[in-house]
Amino acid sequence: MGTARHLLGTDALAVEDATALLDRADAMLVTWAGSPEARKGTLLRGRTVVNLFFEASTRTRTSFEIAGKRLGADVVNVSAAASSVTKGETLLDTVRNLEAMRAEVIILRHPASGAPSFVAARTGASVVNAGDGTHEHPTQALLDALTIRRKKGRLAGIVVAICGDILHSRVARSNAILLTKLGATVRFCGPRTMMPREPRAIADVQLARSLDEAAEGADVLMMLRIQNERLGGAMLSTTREYSRTFGLNARVLARAKPDAIIMHPGPINRGVELDTMLADSARSVILDQVEAGVAVRAAVLEMVTRAA
Ligand code: ASP
C-alpha cells in the first residue's frame, strides 16, 4: 500500500505507490460488490475528512464523501460559495480553522494551480488534490487507470488517445503523466489553440494531427470537455464546427480497435465532444469510471491517513 501523507499530483507519485493504490481500489470494488454490509468499514472511524471545494463538482465531491463514509470516517462538505471565503477569508485561514476542528484530511479543489501544494506545506493535515486549476487531478487519473486496467487486463502497451481541450485540462495532464509512467502509450489530439505549447514537457506523448489519426488503432478514446470557464471568454470555434472536427462519432470510432472503449471524466457536453448515442453505448465505460472513482478515493484516504 502507498506511503505518502499527501496526494498532490501524479508527477510525484511513485510507480509502486500508484500500483498499490490501484490494487487496493480493485480489491475494494470486489468486496463492495457483495452485500451492503460489505460496503461499511471502520478503518477511518473517528477521523474527520473535509471536502473543501472552491469550484463546482458532482462526481469528485460525492465520491470522496461516499469513500470516506465507507471507511467509517466523518465527512464534512465545505463549499466556498457558502463559506466565509465570500467574506474575504483567505484559503490558509480557512484551512487553519478546519485544522483547529481536528480535520485530519483536507480534500481540496481550487481554481488556482498549485493551491494544494501551498496548503500542504502549511498544515498538519493530509492534503488531497481534487483538481487544481489547469494543473492536476490525480484521483481522476488513478480512477481512469483502474478502469482501463479492469477492462483491458493491463496498462502496458495500451494506446490511449486523449482528445479535446488538452491545454486547459488537468485531467489530460494527470492522465498523460500517470498512464505513461505505467507503460501505456498516450496520444494527444485537439484544436491547435487548445494544445499546450510544449506537450512533451508534460510526458512522453504522441501528437496526432486529427481525431482520425488519434483514433487509429487506439484501445481507449478519452474525450474531454472544452473548459469554457478557463478560456477567458475566447471561444475558439462554434460548437457545431468543434463537434464536426473533434467530436467522437461512430465513423471515427470505427478507426479504433474493434474492442476500443470510450471514456470521459464528466461532465459530458452531449453532442459536442461526444455523440450522445455513443455516450450511452456498450462501448462507453463512463459510469464504470465513476464507480472506480469511489474505490480509488477510498484507497487514497487509506494511504494518506496511514502515512500521517
Ligand atoms: N471533472 C473534471 C475536472 O474537474 C473534468 C471537467 O470538468 O471537464 O477537471
Side-chain angles (χ1 to χ4, degrees):
M1 186 59 183
T3 51
R5 187 162 78 90
H6 307 290
L7 178 65
L8 303 173
T10 51
D11 219 4
L13 190 63
V15 169
E16 306 74 58
D17 281 354
T19 306
L21 284 169
L22 298 183
D23 292 346
R24 181 72 187 116
D26 205 334
M28 284 183 191
L29 283 177
V30 174
T31 308
W32 291 346
S35 65
E37 289 73 47
R39 293 193 277 278
K40 196 72 197 162
T42 53
L43 199 78
L44 295 196
R45 197 162 57 191
R47 307 261 192 171
T48 302
V49 174
V50 177
N51 267 329
L52 179 58
F53 276 55
F54 289 79
E55 276 188 354
S57 172
T58 302
R59 280 152 292 275
T60 306
R61 194 195 56 72
T62 312
S63 57
F64 266 115
E65 182 173 354
I66 293 175
K69 288 181 171 166
R70 289 210 177 149
L71 298 177
D74 295 313
V75 185
V76 178
N77 293 307
V78 181
S79 129
S83 75
S84 287
V85 168
T86 57
K87 300 179 188 169
E89 189 162 56
T90 67
L91 170 61
L92 213 46
D93 281 335
T94 307
V95 166
R96 289 199 173 124
N97 278 270
L98 297 173
E99 215 186 326
M101 294 180 229
R102 296 197 178 273
E104 279 126 334
V105 184
I106 295 176
I107 317 289
L108 180 63
R109 168 166 288 192
H110 200 280
S113 300
S117 309
F118 173 81
V119 168
R122 291 165 181 81
T123 175
S126 290
V127 178
V128 177
N129 182 358
D132 61 330
T134 58
H135 178 227
E136 281 237 33
H137 194 351
T139 56
Q140 177 73 45
L142 285 163
L143 75 86
D144 289 338
L146 180 58
T147 306
I148 297 170
R149 205 177 73 166
R150 284 174 71 88
K151 294 289 172 191
K152 299 287 166 201
R154 64 185 205 284
L155 287 163
I158 294 290
V159 177
V160 183
I162 306 181
C163 309
D165 183 2
I166 308 281
L167 178 63
H168 302 101
S169 174
R170 54 200 179 199
V171 174
R173 284 180 59 88
S174 288
N175 263 306
I177 296 166
L178 183 68
L179 292 174
T180 53
K181 253 187 208 187
L182 297 176
T185 298
V186 172
R187 286 179 192 158
F188 276 172
C189 160
R192 238 178 327 139
T193 44
M194 292 183 183
M195 284 298 271
R197 212 168 298 152
E198 293 185 58
R200 292 212 176 89
I202 299 172
D204 187 14
V205 295
Q206 297 178 353
L207 302 176
R209 276 160 305 185
S210 66
L211 188 55
D212 280 356
E213 191 180 312
E216 201 62 53
D219 296 283
V220 178
L221 291 157
M222 187 183 290
M223 306 311 293
L224 303 173
R225 175 182 70 93
I226 300 175
Q227 303 276 300
N228 285 309
E229 68 274 36
R230 303 189 208 285
L231 295 181
M235 219 9 240
L236 297 127
S237 61
T238 63
T239 302
R240 173 136 28 112
E241 189 188 327
Y242 182 87
S243 79
R244 215 182 301 131
T245 329
F246 289 100
L248 182 62
N249 54 36
R251 185 195 60 76
V252 178
L253 181 63
R255 293 184 167 266
K257 293 237 177 88
D259 60 350
I261 53 173
I262 301 167
M263 301 179 75
H264 195 302
I268 307 171
N269 285 159
R270 285 176 179 263
V272 182
E273 69 273 12
L274 180 55
D275 176 271
T276 193
M277 302 259 274
L278 285 185
D280 302 325
S281 71
R283 306 286 284 280
S284 163
V285 299
I286 294 170
L287 295 177
D288 299 276
Q289 291 173 260
V290 176
E291 186 185 9
V294 181
V296 154
R297 286 166 180 137
V300 167
L301 289 175
E302 269 191 21
M303 177 184 80
V304 296
T305 47
R306 181 166 301 144

